Amino acid sequence: MYAALEERILARDQQGASEAYYRLVKAGRPLPEMLREAVRIHAPYTHVPYHERIDDGFVNFVNNDHCLLSARATLHLSRMLPGAASGLPMAQTIWYIPTGLDIWNQKIAKAPGHYTRGFQMAEGPPPAPVVHWPDQPPLKLGGPLHDRLGQWMTLVHRGQVVDAYRTFLGLMAEPAERRAALAELVFAGLIDVQDRSFQNRSYTTGHKSFRARATVELGDAIGWDMAHDVLYAGALDIAVGPRWYSLYEVACNAITVYLESHELHAVPYSGTTEKERAILAGNKVPVTQAEADALIEVVLRQPEPAYIERLTELLKAGKNPRSILDAIQLGAAQVVLETHADINFSLPQHCYEYCNTLGWFWDNFEHPQRLKLLYLAAAYLNQNAWHQKLSGDLQPPRIEMPSTASGLDADQMAVRVEAATIALDAPKALGWAKAYLASGHDTAPLVRSLAMAASRLGNDPHNQEIAQCMLEDFCKNRLPDRGRLLLAAAQHTARHRKYGDPLDCSRRFGKALDVAALA
């Protein structure tokens, strides 16, 4: 069955691959096994030589990791859906993979797929997808772990892709060193965020951190002794260019200038400061909702360096940096709520996923540079908000409150949230979601309905991952206004740009698996 799945994926046959997946589901194959095999099949064909192209003098962006990101989201969305519908997120992943191979050649219309929608392709069988970076054997370095991690980071920084990948495989070969290596992998992704975005189509929006996180979570779910293909799909790309660290440099220097009150000099700096370490260890007081709202207002509405100063004030006042990150997540959700053009969600959705990824990183790894990453997240959110303002968005949310909500139970209201979202009626979906939150009902049915709506709308399942991140954070965020995250999930799911028939995959899955609500 897996051979049939591979054959149909490499033939770029969405329907045939989906039918192979249905057989696997009916045979009772476990989700981690199916994810492992799906990643094995696509891993060689979802790398690019570089994340930019210069095509006859024009700069174009080349992204290629939605197959892996969708697989990670599947781990979580599948647990949020009831009964047989739990297989739908994986169905969306399988539906997408045949269209996500060899993005490099898709961008110049030499291969069919997601990025050549609307192009007239040559008749006949499609060309075979190209392997741009073959797999490699591990390379084991000598010396202390700290030094080897530093050598790996240097290789990444310099763009020595093959040597960096081989070195990382060598680090992962030692079970006792895996968590430290994985922490550094995600850190290397988190610091790679471009420092400007207005009028850019070519920008690094945190995707390397998303890819690294997917690598960690999929490897944990599959088991690292069987997860080599996950490393091939996820870890190799970290060193592929271009790499942008200037926004992270701002975060580093903010520690020196604003937190330490020192002047910058030309001498090299390294590591963390005593005050940095003390804040990470000792700041325990959570921010209040009023403090969170004040911070959000500064980050979203004021130019630099106002957000740096306000963030520093909170840290110096003993506020918990993880609690501050909760506030930043609400700010990222607010930008989503204030975005209305369906083609203008790129920065808001990626900024939100970045903030979610940083929260996950904070909760899973005690990395010493987390405080710098907090400044980076605030910088990214500020950049995101100003991009939206300059491009004509960042307008108040449009919410249509229902007049018939009184007396409805939780399930009845949740059904209406899902229906409005599937109908792509964002104002109505927001109105029903807001009415639900005001009703005082248990939020579990609302979360489930938003997860179902996101899982049903397909053709680029990276968009499903955005809602999944918001739902995940709703369950973890400690601020009273965390319901804003559910509103943002409804807004994004209903409004983001759709491709083709977005319900095609979910209808096919519903018919094949006898899920009446989907068919």
Side-chain angles (χ1 to χ4, degrees):
M1 285 189 285
Y2 285 118
L5 177 65
E6 180 171 8
E7 191 270 332
R8 287 297 86 206
I9 286 176
L10 297 187
R12 297 186 170 93
D13 177 2
Q14 288 180 284
Q15 294 183 29
S18 296
E19 289 164 3
Y21 168 66
Y22 305 151
R23 291 193 291 273
L24 289 163
V25 173
K26 291 175 181 178
R29 303 316 306 167
L31 179 61
E33 176 189 284
M34 291 190 286
L35 287 168
R36 183 192 72 210
E37 290 297 306
V39 174
R40 175 189 64 79
I41 293 165
H42 77 64
Y45 311 106
T46 48
H47 291 296
V48 294
Y50 207 72
H51 285 285
E52 280 182 341
R53 304 178 62 101
I54 304 292
D55 294 320
D56 194 19
F58 208 101
V59 178
N60 287 299
F61 182 55
V62 186
N63 197 16
N64 62 313
D65 55 6
H66 290 194
C67 299
L68 195 68
L69 303 189
S70 175
R72 187 206 71 81
T74 288
L75 283 172
H76 301 281
L77 285 171
S78 63
R79 291 194 288 265
M80 296 180 180
L81 303 184
S86 65
L88 177 57
M90 186 65 185
Q92 294 283 10
T93 299
I94 296 297
W95 182 256
Y96 180 81
I97 289 174
T99 74
L101 307 179
D102 195 3
I103 303 298
W104 186 259
N105 283 314
Q106 286 191 40
K107 286 283 187 174
I108 51 176
K110 287 188 175 180
H114 181 75
Y115 290 95
T116 52
R117 297 173 190 269
F119 283 85
Q120 183 63 44
M121 300 303 299
E123 294 183 3
V130 175
V131 178
H132 295 286
W133 294 103
D135 204 352
Q136 300 290 326
L139 175 65
K140 292 189 177 183
L141 304 178
L145 176 60
H146 179 271
D147 294 349
R148 286 181 281 129
L149 290 172
Q151 289 176 270
W152 173 77
M153 184 66 80
T154 297
L155 293 170
V156 169
H157 190 191
R158 294 176 179 175
Q160 295 177 234
V161 179
V162 172
D163 289 342
Y165 175 52
R166 293 187 62 202
T167 298
F168 192 79
L169 291 180
L171 291 165
M172 288 296 292
E174 300 296 332
E177 298 177 349
R178 283 176 183 164
R179 296 310 291 178
L182 292 170
E184 204 68 6
L185 179 76
V186 183
F187 172 68
L190 285 164
I191 67 176
D192 192 345
V193 181
Q194 194 169 345
D195 59 344
R196 59 152 290 113
S197 55
F198 184 60
Q199 297 299 1
N200 281 43
R201 292 188 312 147
S202 175
Y203 39 55
T204 289
T205 51
H207 258 271
K208 288 188 178 179
S209 67
F210 312 156
R211 192 173 191 139
R213 178 199 182 165
T215 301
V216 175
E217 290 201 303
L218 288 168
D220 284 344
I222 292 167
W224 286 107
D225 291 339
M226 297 187 293
H228 173 80
D229 293 304
V230 173
L231 290 175
Y232 180 30
L236 182 150
D237 183 73
I238 294 294
V240 175
R243 292 159 305 283
W244 283 291
Y245 301 116
S246 54
L247 203 63
Y248 178 67
E249 184 187 357
V250 171
C252 292
N253 293 337
I255 298 289
T256 302
V257 175
Y258 293 90
L259 198 61
E260 298 287 354
S261 300
H262 294 164
E263 290 186 0
L264 281 174
H265 297 284
V267 298
Y269 296 85
S270 65
T272 57
T273 69
E274 183 177 346
K275 186 174 292 185
E276 231 179 317
R277 296 189 293 272
I279 288 173
L280 283 172
N283 279 31
K284 303 298 184 183
V285 181
V287 295
T288 66
Q289 187 64 58
E291 289 169 332
D293 289 340
L295 174 64
I296 290 167
E297 185 68 17
V298 170
V299 178
L300 268 55
R301 318 296 177 190
Q302 296 186 30
E304 289 183 306
Y307 71 86
I308 301 176
E309 295 168 344
R310 182 60 186 142
L311 177 56
T312 303
E313 289 171 6
L314 290 169
L315 292 171
K316 287 184 174 180
K319 297 300 179 177
N320 185 320
R322 182 62 180 85
S323 178
I324 295 172
L325 182 54
D326 280 349
I328 291 173
Q329 288 177 347
L330 294 187
Q334 187 64 32
V335 176
V336 171
L337 287 168
E338 296 185 16
T339 296
H340 304 283
D342 65 345
I343 61 172
N344 203 25
F345 278 94
S346 182
L347 257 292
Q349 71 181 34
H350 288 99
C351 182
Y352 190 87
E353 185 167 1
Y354 183 89
C355 295
N356 166 266
T357 301
L358 179 54
W360 169 86
F361 181 69
W362 206 292
D363 296 339
N364 285 276
F365 298 100
E366 293 188 1
H367 197 280
Q369 304 294 358
R370 283 170 292 161
L371 205 61
K372 295 183 179 74
L373 293 173
L374 186 67
Y375 278 92
L376 177 51
Y380 189 176
L381 179 54
N382 179 258
Q383 172 183 276
N384 170 32
W386 280 94
H387 177 279
Q388 297 308 92
K389 182 178 177 64
L390 292 171
S391 58
D393 256 316
L394 214 67
Q395 301 295 324
R398 300 169 194 156
I399 303 177
E400 294 180 9
M401 294 299 294
S403 60
T404 57
S406 179
L408 297 180
D409 64 26
D411 288 335
Q412 290 170 325
M413 296 184 78
V415 164
R416 286 160 173 77
V417 172
E418 182 182 339
T421 306
I422 290 298
L424 310 185
D425 188 341
K428 188 173 289 185
L430 284 171
W432 277 110
K434 189 170 182 178
Y436 190 110
L437 291 170
S439 73
H441 290 315
D442 177 67
T443 54
L446 176 58
V447 169
R448 187 165 56 247
S449 72
L450 290 168
M452 181 67 83
S455 298
R456 289 177 67 183
L457 292 166
N459 274 340
D460 185 354
H462 176 41
N463 288 311
Q464 297 168 349
E465 188 181 29
I466 308 304
Q468 181 268 311
C469 290
M470 293 167 174
L471 300 178
E472 174 185 288
D473 285 334
F474 173 75
C475 297
K476 296 194 302 181
N477 196 291
R478 285 143 288 199
L479 285 166
D481 193 24
R482 62 185 178 275
R484 196 183 317 189
L485 303 175
L486 300 184
L487 297 178
Q491 164 82 343
H492 181 266
T493 302
R495 277 203 182 276
H496 73 71
R497 183 181 184 182
K498 310 299 189 295
Y499 300 90
D501 178 357
L503 293 173
D504 192 5
C505 174
S506 58
R507 278 196 299 264
R508 291 175 184 274
F509 176 82
K511 291 177 183 177
L513 276 297
D514 296 320
V515 184
L518 302 177

